[in-house]
Amino acid sequence: MDTNPKRANAMDAYWMPFTANRHFKRNPRMIAGAEGMYYTTSEGKKVLDGTAGLWCVNAGHAAPRITEAVKNQMTELDYAPAFQMGHPKAFELANRLAELAPGDLNHVFFTNSGSESVETALKIALAYHKAKGNASRTRLIGREKGYHGVNFGGIAVGGIVNNRRHFGSLLTGVDHLRHTHDLERNAYSQGEAEHGVELAEDLVRLIELHGAETIAAVIVEPMAGSAGVILPPKGYLKRLREITREHGILLIFDEVITAYGRLGRAFGADYYGVEPDMITTAKGLTNGVIPMGAVMISSEIHDAFMTGPDHMIELFHGYTYSGNPVACAAALAALDTYREEELFERAASLEGYWAEAMFSLKGLPHVKDIRCAGLVGAVELEPVADMPTKRALDVYLRAWDKGAHLRTTGDIIAMSPPLIIEKQEIDELAGILAESLIA
Ligand code: PXG
């Protein structure tokens, strides 16, 4: 490998995110192109995208309407200042999202990523309580195994140990609910898991411990993605909603993965029938094409800020690229594509076929659980003794050689294909995974 950073194709300069850099650079997997369901590698090999990029390319790669919209926007208006200045597409997009969002989540704050959406929602939660005269509500509650991006608020409320342990004291005043991963009682679940509703009572325990008047918000993924697809137990999210409502605590759903059709509905909140006070999103908002996130916010929260003198800034928060015109154009085109190609409905109609394909892997070597919801699937494997992550990584590498791209987290294989997937491609993906488990 050429490691001289002064040469164009040397690999050392790029410090890759969440990657085993030295391992990757010894044996790189390079993508040169992508269209529809497939990547093309730099050697010209076609690889089925079993994960919609990183859970984001819901309409498939190079969706023509989105590509066109981005090109056009670049020449029409490339950038407009985001503070004290507007452009029509940001308002149009906010209206479209408010219409799509459940209940009275009628307001939208734009960010550039899932991590920023999380920081935004947490800050709004704190500032909301202060605006309402409840300044003692400063505590934030997350959940073990939760993933809320990589910024400081997100890793503080998050519960993935490796994402936290190297980064000092994080935020103070944070606590965590217990996770709901329970293979003994819930192996081979679909949609929701049968057992574990009582884990929502953990929130009552934390309220008794800290006092409700100190707690601002609870943030959870309705279905935990990054930790390896952990489905909520039946009734669990509803119970969290009841407890938070009863105690004046805001409920934030982190839907960076579950929003925009992944579960066959616009939001996980729709799929599970529970309405939070805020929803954080990113990824599928623009089909992954341009970085963008959006936080959906209830009227109750938004209106609490709209009280002081009207020349004053109501929320001291925002990003240079909030509502960037090119990102807005990409998002509007993505929403058009989802609607016109009926991709959310398509995901819902494939849910059963998908689950059958996933469950057909039951009984293959080292498989100890399979979990599905919408077009998400996970296969949990027995780890190799004393070598955690090795089993799944080996399966991943074999699948790549056989022409499919999967995700691994620990010893769990996760899949979340573009919503345009055809039945024969579901068969292809499950077939490659089956062979990779056996070989
Ligand atoms: N919240 C949730 C629930 C997420 O899944 C983020 C926040 C952060 O988003 P950004 O855009 O800042 O990365 C995420 C991101 C994986 C995987 O394979 C998952 C994510 C990102 C990359 C890989 O599990 N989730």
Side-chain angles (χ1 to χ4, degrees):
M1 186 185 68
D2 184 351
T3 52
N4 182 341
K6 304 292 178 225
R7 286 195 285 269
N9 290 322
M11 301 192 87
D12 218 31
Y14 177 26
W15 189 342
M16 298 171 71
F18 274 117
T19 298
N21 274 255
R22 289 157 302 160
H23 184 269
F24 177 90
K25 289 167 189 177
R26 271 200 306 278
N27 197 359
R29 295 172 296 283
M30 301 284 261
I31 309 280
E35 193 180 352
M37 286 295 304
Y38 290 87
Y39 292 111
T40 309
T41 69
S42 46
E43 296 91 38
K45 192 173 94 165
K46 273 179 84 180
V47 177
L48 181 63
D49 183 0
T51 62
L54 288 175
W55 315 78
C56 51
V57 187
N58 292 2
H61 294 273
R65 183 192 286 273
I66 305 172
T67 311
E68 195 59 26
V70 168
K71 279 192 204 157
N72 291 342
Q73 188 61 41
M74 294 283 222
T75 45
E76 184 186 312
L77 172 65
D78 58 345
Y79 180 82
F83 305 168
Q84 306 284 21
M85 189 79 77
H87 66 91
K89 286 201 174 74
F91 293 91
E92 188 186 343
L93 179 59
N95 285 331
R96 289 276 296 277
L97 292 172
E99 212 176 287
L100 197 64
D104 79 334
L105 302 191
N106 295 326
H107 301 274
V108 182
F109 200 98
F110 290 121
T111 71
N112 308 292
S113 66
S115 297
E116 288 182 358
S117 290
V118 167
E119 304 301 301
T120 298
L122 297 177
K123 287 174 73 177
I124 289 177
L126 296 172
Y128 161 76
H129 288 299
K130 183 158 181 292
K132 295 284 274 189
N134 298 319
S136 69
R137 286 192 184 264
T138 57
R139 198 174 295 280
L140 301 167
I141 309 280
R143 186 170 58 191
E144 294 167 351
K145 294 188 185 288
Y147 186 66
H148 302 294
V150 292
N151 292 344
F152 270 107
I155 58 173
V157 293
I160 295 187
V161 179
N162 280 334
N163 293 356
R164 297 163 47 87
R165 70 192 335 160
H166 309 288
F167 306 108
S169 53
L170 314 182
L171 288 188
T172 56
V174 171
D175 212 335
H176 292 77
L177 303 167
R178 275 175 298 165
H179 67 76
T180 67
H181 193 35
D182 183 351
L183 278 191
E184 247 164 57
R185 292 196 298 168
N186 286 327
Y188 300 98
S189 296
Q190 218 179 310
E192 288 165 294
E194 203 56 49
H195 303 283
V197 64
E198 71 283 356
L199 288 164
E201 305 306 319
D202 232 18
L203 182 54
V204 175
R205 180 178 65 84
L206 295 181
I207 289 169
E208 283 167 1
L209 178 66
H210 298 296
E213 78 287 356
T214 71
I215 302 176
V218 172
I219 181 166
V220 291
E221 301 155 87
M223 178 218 78
S226 285
V229 182
I230 305 174
L231 308 175
K234 275 192 183 124
Y236 173 88
L237 296 172
K238 284 200 170 72
R239 185 68 190 123
L240 278 190
R241 177 69 285 189
E242 280 168 15
I243 301 167
T244 47
R245 198 165 268 145
E246 186 185 333
H247 292 277
I249 298 166
L250 297 178
L251 180 62
I252 304 167
F253 275 179
D254 186 347
E255 297 224 28
V256 167
I257 279 177
T258 50
Y260 311 113
R262 178 54 49 202
L263 300 180
R265 301 290 301 269
F267 296 94
D270 304 316
Y271 181 81
Y272 293 117
V274 176
E275 202 181 295
D277 300 296
M278 285 189 263
I279 295 179
T280 53
T281 76
K283 294 193 188 270
L285 173 58
T286 60
N287 208 38
V289 167
I290 303 280
M292 185 181 216
V295 184
M296 270 45 107
I297 300 147
S298 72
S299 291
E300 158 65 24
I301 294 173
H302 168 267
D303 294 351
F305 288 85
M306 302 297 146
T307 53
D310 75 359
H311 71 281
M312 285 290 294
I313 290 170
E314 296 100 355
L315 178 67
F316 288 88
H317 179 72
Y319 303 98
T320 300
Y321 309 113
S322 285
N324 171 282
V326 182
C328 287
L332 284 165
L335 294 180
D336 286 343
T337 304
Y338 296 148
R339 188 169 60 195
E340 271 157 43
E341 296 183 15
E342 300 185 342
L343 291 184
F344 302 171
E345 296 80 359
R346 185 186 164 75
S349 73
L350 284 171
E351 183 173 23
Y353 192 89
W354 170 257
E356 245 175 69
M358 293 292 118
F359 279 91
S360 73
L361 304 167
K362 193 172 176 177
L364 291 181
H366 312 297
V367 171
K368 62 175 187 179
D369 188 20
I370 295 168
R371 303 181 284 278
C372 293
L375 282 188
V376 178
V379 178
E380 184 157 352
L381 304 175
E382 199 63 58
V384 176
D386 300 328
M387 295 179 86
T389 75
K390 174 104 175 45
R391 179 94 63 203
L393 183 64
D394 287 348
V395 171
Y396 165 78
L397 292 171
R398 286 199 290 268
W400 173 264
D401 285 339
K402 294 175 199 294
H405 178 65
L406 315 169
R407 273 291 290 165
T408 66
T409 172
D411 277 299
I412 301 167
I413 309 269
M415 283 153 289
S416 55
L419 313 180
I420 59 167
I421 194 167
E422 298 285 349
K423 285 184 178 172
Q424 91 255 8
E425 290 158 340
I426 294 180
D427 298 343
E428 184 185 344
L429 186 62
I432 289 178
L433 180 51
E435 285 172 26
S436 308
L437 286 164
I438 295 163

